Amino acid sequence: MTSLACGSTLSLLLRAANPNNAARSLHLSSNLLPGFSHKLLTASSSSSSSKTVGVRVTRAAAQVAEAVLVDKEDKSRVLRVGVICGGPSAERGISLNSARSVLDHIQGEDLHVSCYYIDSHLNAFAISSAQVYSNTPSDFDFKLESLAQGFQSLSEFAEHLADSVDIVFPVIHGQFGEDGGIQELLENNNVPFVGTGSKECQQAFNKYNASLGLSKYGFVTVPSFLVQGSEVNQDELSEWFASNHLDVNSGKVVVKPTRAGSSIGVTVAYGVSDSLTKANEIISQEIDDGVLVELFLEGGSEFTAIVLDVGQGFDCQPVVLLPTEVELQFQGSGDVREKDAIFNYRRKYLPTQQVAYHTPPRFPIEVIKNIREGASLLFQRLGLRDFARIDGWFLPSSTKSLSSSEDKFGITEFGTVLFTDINLISGMEQTSFLFQQASKVGFSHSNILRSIISRACLRFPELATYSSKSSQFQKNLNSSKLNGTSKGREGFRKVFVLFGGDTSERQVSLMSGTNVWLNLQGFDDIQIKRTPV
């Protein structure tokens, strides 16, 4: 994961040291979150433990249940959070990593975490923290019957949650997590939860429906063609290619499932025949029965932006952090098609030297403002809640422009901003965009996760007492990074974070080093450099 080592170049502190970038970085930072300081909340209370309620529990499972339940009479003293991970999609392993990260950073005397797992067949289990810290779901999937508390149905699981936790934090990525499945189950059983409601999830998670919504709300969208199940009309697709000035035999497009996260199943195709072949592969692999064929955005730069809701209760006031530009890098590759590659699942989650991240993006200030304004509007228009990640592309004016009305949102003098993907539950691994972007305004992993949970509590009167105003952001507003009084390079203390090595534990060292690096970025007088060894 050499690409992660590039992260040190993301620091606004380092950008500020460059005279050409200083004004730009400070201008962006000082306008980042206006009015946020008195609105961002963080959970607080104190702790306890309790007896279990048995549901087909073995002795080992009873011990799990004993560990995860807190007595109702102590409810006023501790916020009981149920973290649910897993799910039926190929992102089950990433979900487990997110759950581990959440558990690492929110557990405390004032907040008790219970962990739950949904397997690939939608069976629900209460699991121990030891299982959460497994490398992959396959490490414990086969042990669930004997080591976990199982539930006979999802309805029984929901009833258990209603009695055993105060609020649920779903970290299921993809199907059943972001498509409204788990949200509908919780809503039907009146269980409070973090994040967007079921109907809004269904709309935003489906890429085709989301694109229609974007167009309806006046945003520039990427031209696309829907392949639904076996109902494929090659002539219609050929006409779509021609209408978008693409060669029917070699025109370059992106083929992707309408309902899947983390770029699963996303690929590049060339011409009508290749597009249909790859669409049929997605359908035959049962990734999805709907597939989008989209224009390949030549010369564009991909970005992603984290949006946080800082409103009170149902009053939505989204704030967008500094976006991140995703740069694919290829060194010495002679494969033209490899240079057409996309930010796929492997490049997101596995070690690679082919990706670099830039926060803020290397775009003109007006474009960054447009991205942040657009992401905020989308968050409101689509009815999202608490937090989300919104991905898109910036096409410079020098590239081939899309045929679009000038009055569409996203048209700037420097180029076009397009939003393409709505992520209802952003990844929460240690190096995720959520934590990278939050660190730029001085938030630690714990700060940002607790703030999100506290914000969600405000929607539920019975949980309002668990929310208390945080002074953390006020401290950050007064810091040199946000008020435009950044010190010169000589005012910093240099800290080198060394990680890696030649042992089998170097991957663990990488995660530890990255965690230290991200948390140290919240300090104003430290210049951090990560060094792999």
Side-chain angles (χ1 to χ4, degrees):
M1 260 183 162
T2 307
S3 62
L4 292 176
C6 298
S8 58
T9 63
L10 305 180
S11 175
L12 293 179
L13 300 178
L14 296 181
R15 286 180 174 274
N18 185 329
N20 296 325
N21 291 332
R24 173 171 174 263
S25 298
L26 293 174
H27 175 78
L28 289 170
S29 299
S30 63
N31 291 293
L32 180 59
L33 304 175
F36 194 17
S37 61
H38 67 288
K39 292 181 178 137
L40 196 59
L41 305 169
T42 173
S44 65
S45 299
S46 1
S47 73
S48 185
S49 65
S50 83
K51 299 182 179 179
T52 64
V53 272
V55 186
R56 297 190 300 109
V57 221
T58 64
R59 181 175 180 182
Q63 293 174 345
V64 173
E66 182 74 29
V68 302
L69 301 183
V70 179
D71 201 305
K72 286 183 179 180
E73 67 186 20
D74 291 322
K75 183 176 179 180
S76 61
R77 298 178 53 213
V78 62
L79 180 66
R80 303 172 301 170
V81 178
V83 173
I84 306 179
C85 63
S89 82
E91 297 176 82
R92 196 162 53 256
I94 303 304
S95 174
L96 183 65
N97 291 343
S98 290
R100 183 183 307 134
S101 180
V102 172
L103 180 61
D104 280 345
H105 298 296
I106 68 172
Q107 180 83 284
E109 292 183 355
D110 60 335
L111 196 152
H112 181 90
V113 182
S114 304
C115 298
Y116 300 93
Y117 177 75
I118 305 291
D119 71 9
S120 58
H121 302 292
L122 295 183
N123 298 309
F125 301 86
I127 63 175
S128 67
S129 57
Q131 289 167 311
V132 175
Y133 286 104
S134 301
N135 288 324
T136 67
S138 61
D139 291 337
F140 64 83
D141 268 347
F142 66 97
K143 302 177 183 176
L144 286 169
E145 292 293 334
S146 60
L147 294 182
Q149 174 189 355
F151 300 93
Q152 293 181 351
S153 66
L154 288 176
S155 295
E156 185 179 76
F157 174 50
E159 291 172 4
H160 165 85
L161 292 173
D163 288 336
S164 306
V165 303
D166 298 310
I167 190 167
V168 166
F169 196 151
V171 291
I172 299 175
H173 305 309
Q175 295 174 11
F176 196 66
E178 297 181 85
D179 62 2
I182 186 66
Q183 290 82 4
E184 184 175 14
L185 176 70
L186 298 173
E187 288 168 350
N188 290 342
N189 288 272
N190 298 313
V191 179
F193 62 91
V194 175
T196 299
S198 62
K199 291 182 180 178
E200 291 78 13
C201 282
Q202 292 170 16
Q203 168 74 14
F205 184 67
N206 185 302
K207 293 179 175 63
Y208 180 69
N209 291 340
S211 179
L212 294 178
L214 285 170
S215 180
K216 173 185 173 182
Y217 296 130
F219 287 82
V220 180
T221 56
V222 183
S224 62
F225 181 90
L226 178 64
V227 177
Q228 189 67 48
S230 58
E231 301 174 6
V232 179
N233 188 316
Q234 185 165 342
D235 290 338
E236 289 184 4
L237 183 55
S238 297
E239 290 177 9
W240 180 84
F241 264 70
S243 66
N244 286 282
H245 310 291
L246 294 172
D247 188 288
V248 295
N249 297 311
S250 59
K252 188 165 54 179
V253 294
V254 175
V255 180
K256 61 185 181 182
T258 58
R259 296 171 298 176
S262 290
S263 302
I264 290 175
V266 182
T267 185
V268 175
Y270 300 84
V272 173
S273 179
D274 190 31
S275 298
L276 291 179
T277 297
K278 290 178 176 175
N280 287 327
E281 287 175 359
I282 292 172
I283 295 170
S284 64
Q285 292 170 10
E286 298 184 347
I287 296 175
D288 195 9
D289 60 359
V291 179
L292 277 185
V293 179
E294 291 184 343
L295 287 186
F296 187 100
L297 301 176
E298 291 281 7
S301 298
E302 191 169 359
F303 66 81
T304 186
I306 296 295
V307 188
L308 303 175
D309 188 356
V310 301
Q312 300 290 321
F314 287 95
D315 176 25
C316 182
Q317 296 183 35
V319 167
V320 184
L321 302 181
L322 283 175
T324 298
E325 175 192 355
V326 179
E327 180 190 13
L328 295 185
Q329 300 176 326
F330 304 100
Q331 299 175 354
S333 173
D335 189 340
V336 174
R337 294 196 174 188
E338 176 65 10
K339 292 181 182 297
D340 292 337
I342 52 179
F343 189 45
N344 57 17
Y345 184 89
R346 176 176 180 81
R347 291 185 176 90
K348 282 183 180 178
Y349 299 115
L350 300 179
T352 177
Q353 298 182 35
Q354 296 180 345
V355 184
Y357 304 111
H358 306 276
T359 310
R362 299 166 301 173
F363 306 154
I365 289 177
E366 180 185 332
V367 172
I368 297 176
K369 286 182 177 179
N370 189 278
I371 290 171
R372 295 185 58 232
E373 182 183 351
S376 178
L377 286 172
L378 272 183
F379 193 94
Q380 291 177 301
R381 298 284 192 274
L382 296 176
L384 310 188
R385 298 195 309 222
D386 300 333
F387 76 116
R389 195 186 85 233
I390 299 179
D391 302 337
W393 288 78
F394 168 58
L395 297 179
S397 301
S398 57
T399 62
K400 181 181 177 181
S401 61
L402 298 173
S403 54
S404 179
S405 172
E406 290 297 322
D407 60 355
K408 288 278 189 179
F409 188 94
I411 304 295
T412 76
E413 65 175 299
F414 299 99
T416 305
V417 171
L418 303 100
F419 296 99
T420 56
D421 294 280
I422 314 296
N423 301 272
L424 288 312
I425 301 177
S426 175
M428 283 166 261
E429 293 183 296
Q430 299 284 14
T431 58
S432 70
F433 291 118
L434 172 67
F435 296 133
Q436 287 195 40
Q437 293 182 21
S439 73
K440 297 305 177 184
V441 288
F443 274 90
S444 68
H445 293 45
S446 178
N447 292 151
I448 199 66
L449 290 173
R450 281 175 165 254
S451 295
I452 290 170
I453 293 171
S454 186
R455 164 68 183 87
C457 285
L458 290 176
R459 288 197 302 278
F460 308 97
E462 67 274 20
L463 300 181
T465 56
Y466 293 115
S467 295
S468 62
K469 292 187 177 181
S470 171
S471 60
Q472 177 67 28
F473 199 79
Q474 184 62 54
K475 174 183 177 181
N476 295 336
L477 283 178
N478 293 332
S479 75
S480 62
K481 279 193 291 183
L482 295 181
N483 64 16
T485 59
S486 180
K487 302 174 184 178
R489 182 179 289 269
E490 67 279 358
F492 291 111
R493 291 176 292 166
K494 291 186 178 180
V495 174
F496 289 82
V497 181
L498 304 178
F499 61 89
D502 59 358
T503 73
S504 60
E505 297 180 273
R506 58 184 175 275
Q507 178 68 19
V508 177
S509 173
L510 172 63
M511 299 304 294
S512 298
T514 301
N515 190 25
V516 170
W517 167 69
L518 284 170
N519 280 279
L520 284 177
Q521 288 197 60
F523 293 87
D524 305 321
D525 57 348
I526 294 178
Q527 180 183 349
I528 313 107
K529 182 174 179 60
R530 297 194 308 158
T531 306
V533 295

